[in-house]
Amino acid sequence: MLSNRASAGLRPASAMVMRAIFLFFVGLLVVLPVVAISLEAFRSGFGSLWKQISHPQALAALWLTLRMAMIMVVINVVTGTATAWVLVRNRVPLRGLINALVDIPFAIPTVVTGMMLVVLYGPHSVLGALLGRHGVEVVFSRPGIVLALLFVTFPFVVRAVQPVMMEMEGDMEEAASTLGAGRMRTFFQVVLPTLLPAILSGAALSFSRALGEFGSIIIVAGNIPMRTQVASVYIYGEIESGNPGGAMGLSVVLLVISLLTLLVLNLLQQRSQRHAATI
Amino acid sequence: MSGIRIENLCKSFGDFDAVKNASFAVEEGELVALLGPSGSGKSTILRMIAGLENADSGRICLTGKDVTTIRTQNRRVGFVFQHYALFRHMTVFRNIAFGLEIQKRPAEEIRSRVEELIDLVKLHGHEHHYPAQLSGGQRQRVALARALAPEPRVLLLDEPFGALDAKVRKNLAKWLRDLHDRIHVTSVFVTHDQSEAMEIADKIVVINRGCVEQVGTPIQVYEVPHSRFVASFVGQVNVLEAFMGNGKLRIAGTDTCIPWPDSADTDKCAVVMLVRPEEIEISPQASPSTVSALVSAVQYRGSHYEVEMMLGQNQAKCMVPRNRMAGAALAPGKEVELTLGDFQLFSAEEGHQSVRRMLSSLGYIE
């Protein structure tokens, strides 16, 4: 729809050129690498690929990645939605500043994110020492991974939910209350279902982003096989130790999961477009 | 027993007094318009009736019951929002059924009631569509059906046609009037469009700066406005500065004196005359009761011409029907004689109550 409308304004020749450049770009930058890795992975047969994937250390790294990402998604959905709510609905002081702060995780290099967490929670810091005395280890441990993922993916849910919430204003809740609905019913039957497509799309984006997170995790959690080694770090390790086959196996798995997440996301967006904007 | 009774309602937002001591009543089964400019507090009054805003002070009674402190969800009011506020994740059917489901009515009853309402708002075949698939007018009808479904005590509509384009708006307004004539639910709608209010309301409550200026039928509000504001907000009006005293009324800057027996004993004082354009007629020849004026502009308006002129030091305009135009030969700069019909006098200080109303029965107009 959108591309049709945009090209309608251009002369046919320039529209053709634009389209060609666009297709070439997408092909070169997106499709080609995906095709290349898929072909390469299956070159030595499915059996050997499976052997690489089913290596205990690879499976442990994959399983850890998925679990950490899941925990992050659950927390992010709640905090992200709540943050969007506050930014849209509450007249909090410094709202503009808070709104700008939300995007900071996107702007900061992830390695720096890792450093910040180490400085804050490391064993030599005040907070790290305090937590350590109560038996909570953050750095070189799994909580560190979750914290790093939370920080890196924080904006996704907020930025997905915020526009829908702004558009919703207070009308729908007021309508529900005039029809006799109490607060609980209004929240679960009106507000949540309206926001759900946006929340899920934010969750899906942050999940796929978390699958590939490398920079912050390697600094915070290190590379301890079977304990803190996530998939991306495992892949890096395999390349470093001269075993590209092992790297290939897990890469393909991550790729498939990401593509599936993207597919689900698209289906969700199609569904929510049916209900979109009532104004 | 009245449908809605409002007594001394006040509401302020911070320093801003949105509603000041508003009182009025809506009889059972009436369709009433709250009319006023934007920011006049009319929507706030409507929202207070629904309980969507809390009144700072005053009382609200619905069908004889004091509901001032009762929460919105227990007031049993139907509310229609300007931007529809439909539940976008629900089909038309489920939107309308929402209020009935809360009342825990049996499924079979819900189905027949929803069908009845779909029939009422003429949305057959759209039961399973989502709001986004409907046009603006259709959405507003769904919103209306949803509000009516749980059989509310009163129906409240906040600028219900404000988001629609002019043609749809006019049709829907007329349709609402017809619908009201069939179901007779006590209804209040907010509008800033005086023609919409005049067209469909039984009664108009004119609101300005948070105060109720006048409550009356469209005829009363138009023909006997209680204040300068009402006269100039409802319909068009010419405001002429004049002096009154010693039994005479003289428009500022003219020599013509209109006999005004009521002021025989008063000293000369400044007043304003409010004259509707249709009450000014261009007369063929001068007479003691006509006022002379100088035409300053003539504009074609389709069914009539709008003639602007200077009446002494006042600007005024009147309408001349197309078929009378040829004989009048009006052009800027031409001097004409005017006959004034009905007008009203107000003291020159803004907002002061009417001094006296001039009637054609006073005898100087044939």
Side-chain angles (χ1 to χ4, degrees):
Chain A
M1 272 294 271
L2 202 67
S3 66
N4 276 345
R5 216 180 304 155
S7 60
L10 298 170
R11 275 173 298 132
S14 44
M16 289 267 277
V17 172
M18 287 288 282
R19 217 172 293 170
I21 293 174
F22 171 72
L23 288 176
F24 178 72
F25 222 69
V26 170
L28 189 73
L29 286 176
V30 182
V31 181
L32 208 58
V34 172
V35 171
I37 194 173
S38 307
L39 290 178
E40 181 65 26
F42 289 102
R43 209 175 50 160
S44 46
F46 185 77
S48 76
L49 185 71
W50 178 247
K51 219 180 100 192
Q52 298 288 1
I53 294 170
S54 58
H55 187 283
Q57 198 180 325
L59 278 182
L62 181 65
W63 182 227
L64 179 68
T65 307
L66 292 177
R67 265 187 307 165
M68 295 297 108
M70 281 296 186
I71 294 172
M72 174 282 295
V73 163
V74 170
I75 299 174
N76 246 353
V77 158
V78 176
T79 55
T81 309
T83 307
W85 188 272
V86 170
L87 286 176
V88 174
R89 288 293 175 81
N90 293 19
R91 298 245 149 258
V92 284
L94 302 176
R95 184 159 71 156
L97 183 69
I98 298 172
N99 194 26
L101 281 178
V102 170
D103 285 329
I104 277 199
F106 279 166
I108 294 181
T110 55
V111 181
V112 178
T113 303
M115 275 308 294
M116 295 192 305
L117 292 174
V118 169
V119 168
L120 182 61
Y121 296 106
H124 304 299
S125 77
V126 180
L127 193 59
L130 189 73
L131 287 171
R133 248 177 281 141
H134 292 87
V136 182
E137 270 180 62
V138 174
V139 171
F140 294 117
S141 166
R142 287 171 183 180
I145 300 177
V146 175
L147 276 178
L149 291 182
L150 279 175
F151 185 91
V152 169
T153 61
F154 179 64
F156 284 110
V157 176
V158 182
R159 292 298 184 227
V161 173
Q162 212 176 1
V164 181
M165 228 174 235
M166 278 166 79
E167 199 186 306
M168 196 167 85
E169 288 175 338
D171 278 12
M172 275 200 242
E173 290 143 84
E174 290 182 345
S177 72
T178 61
L179 292 165
R183 284 193 188 172
M184 291 293 268
R185 186 191 285 269
T186 303
F187 183 76
F188 285 107
Q189 290 193 3
V190 175
V191 177
L192 203 55
T194 307
L195 298 180
L196 201 60
I199 294 175
L200 289 179
S201 106
L205 280 173
S206 52
F207 182 77
S208 38
R209 174 74 178 75
L211 290 183
E213 178 50 24
F214 178 82
S216 61
I217 292 177
I218 194 149
I219 301 231
V220 173
N223 185 5
I224 311 167
M226 315 298 280
R227 273 198 47 215
T228 66
Q229 190 183 51
V230 295
S232 58
V233 175
Y234 173 85
I235 291 168
Y236 173 73
E238 291 300 285
I239 295 282
E240 283 289 278
S241 53
N243 178 19
M248 186 69 72
L250 219 46
S251 294
V252 169
V253 175
L254 286 187
L255 187 67
V256 168
I257 296 174
S258 295
L259 288 178
L260 281 178
T261 314
L262 197 68
L263 186 72
V264 172
L265 180 68
N266 267 315
L267 289 176
L268 278 173
Q269 274 169 351
Q270 267 176 26
R271 220 181 80 109
S272 70
Q273 249 156 32
R274 230 173 13 155
H275 310 162
T278 42
I279 295 169
Chain B
M1 185 179 62
S2 60
I4 303 170
R5 178 169 295 280
I6 283 168
E7 291 165 11
N8 305 317
L9 217 52
C10 294
K11 173 80 184 174
S12 50
F13 299 105
D15 294 340
F16 176 64
D17 294 326
V19 177
K20 300 172 220 164
N21 254 333
S23 301
F24 62 88
V26 177
E27 300 308 319
E28 188 92 53
E30 262 186 331
L31 176 59
V32 168
L34 293 188
L35 175 67
S38 58
S40 59
K42 55 196 190 306
S43 282
T44 308
I45 294 177
L46 196 78
R47 292 170 59 80
M48 283 193 281
I49 299 174
L52 297 172
E53 301 290 350
N54 287 321
D56 294 342
S57 64
R59 229 157 68 95
I60 300 163
C61 297
L62 298 183
T63 55
K65 199 165 159 267
D66 188 339
V67 298
T68 317
T69 56
I70 290 177
R71 282 208 242 169
T72 303
Q73 64 252 44
N74 301 322
R75 282 197 193 187
R76 290 191 44 218
V77 296
F79 203 102
V80 175
F81 295 82
Q82 181 176 5
H83 295 293
Y84 329 121
L86 294 174
F87 307 135
R88 69 180 77 158
H89 60 286
M90 293 184 193
T91 60
V92 168
F93 186 97
R94 291 223 35 230
N95 263 284
I96 301 175
F98 188 81
L100 300 165
E101 281 164 9
I102 291 169
Q103 295 180 351
K104 299 210 165 48
R105 305 227 194 149
E108 193 45 44
E109 193 192 322
I110 292 178
R111 215 169 54 83
S112 69
R113 176 81 180 134
V114 173
E115 274 166 12
E116 189 186 316
L117 281 154
I118 286 194
D119 194 43
L120 191 72
V121 299
K122 300 199 178 68
L123 282 170
H124 296 286
H126 295 290
E127 292 89 338
H128 301 294
H129 288 164
Y130 285 91
Q133 296 167 297
L134 304 177
S135 71
Q138 288 172 329
R139 287 179 205 173
Q140 198 55 299
R141 269 147 53 202
V142 176
L144 190 64
R146 180 181 67 177
L148 289 172
E151 286 157 293
R153 288 197 278 226
V154 297
L155 179 65
L156 308 170
L157 308 102
D158 190 1
E159 300 256 7
F161 317 122
L164 303 167
D165 59 61
K167 202 174 149 89
V168 179
R169 184 183 178 128
K170 220 168 162 54
N171 286 338
L172 208 55
K174 197 175 163 319
W175 175 81
L176 177 70
R177 179 69 240 188
D178 293 343
L179 182 79
H180 185 268
D181 288 341
R182 272 194 287 159
I183 60 175
H184 295 296
V185 59
T186 309
S187 309
V188 180
F189 73 101
V190 159
T191 181
H192 61 262
D193 180 345
Q194 49 99 14
S195 65
E196 192 173 282
M198 298 271 271
E199 234 167 87
I200 67 173
D202 294 318
K203 204 161 82 180
I204 297 177
V205 179
V206 186
I207 293 162
N208 183 33
R209 296 189 191 159
C211 299
V212 173
E213 294 257 343
Q214 186 168 359
V215 182
T217 63
I219 295 175
Q220 288 169 337
V221 168
Y222 189 78
E223 296 186 8
V224 198
H226 286 179
S227 65
R228 274 179 75 172
F229 172 79
V230 174
S232 51
F233 191 71
V234 181
Q236 292 188 353
V237 76
N238 294 306
V239 181
L240 309 179
E241 287 173 26
F243 299 99
M244 179 183 81
N246 303 322
K248 286 180 203 131
L249 184 64
R250 186 171 59 82
I251 298 170
T254 68
D255 300 328
T256 320
C257 285
I258 300 167
W260 196 255
D262 285 2
S263 69
D265 304 328
T266 51
D267 286 336
K268 186 173 149 177
C269 65
V271 291
V272 290
M273 291 171 70
L274 299 187
V275 196
R276 299 275 184 207
E278 68 268 22
E279 297 291 337
I280 299 180
E281 223 177 306
I282 295 176
S283 70
Q285 66 259 52
S287 80
S289 64
T290 57
V291 185
S292 49
L294 197 65
V295 175
S296 52
V298 179
Q299 276 167 344
Y300 179 58
R301 287 273 186 265
S303 64
H304 63 271
Y305 286 85
E306 194 176 285
V307 180
E308 282 176 34
M309 53 218 164
M310 292 304 291
L311 231 162
Q313 47 186 247
N314 301 288
Q315 234 178 0
K317 62 183 170 192
C318 73
M319 318 293 181
V320 178
R322 208 170 35 193
N323 52 4
R324 301 265 295 278
M325 194 61 190
L330 295 172
K334 186 179 154 84
E335 198 162 306
V336 289
E337 293 296 319
L338 305 176
T339 310
L340 303 185
D342 264 11
F343 61 84
Q344 287 193 293
L345 284 187
F346 289 89
S347 89
E349 294 114 69
E350 164 83 40
H352 208 281
Q353 280 285 301
S354 168
V355 177
R356 202 147 280 119
R357 181 157 191 261
M358 174 80 183
L359 292 169
S360 28
S361 62
L362 269 175
Y364 91 102
I365 306 169
E366 56 284 346

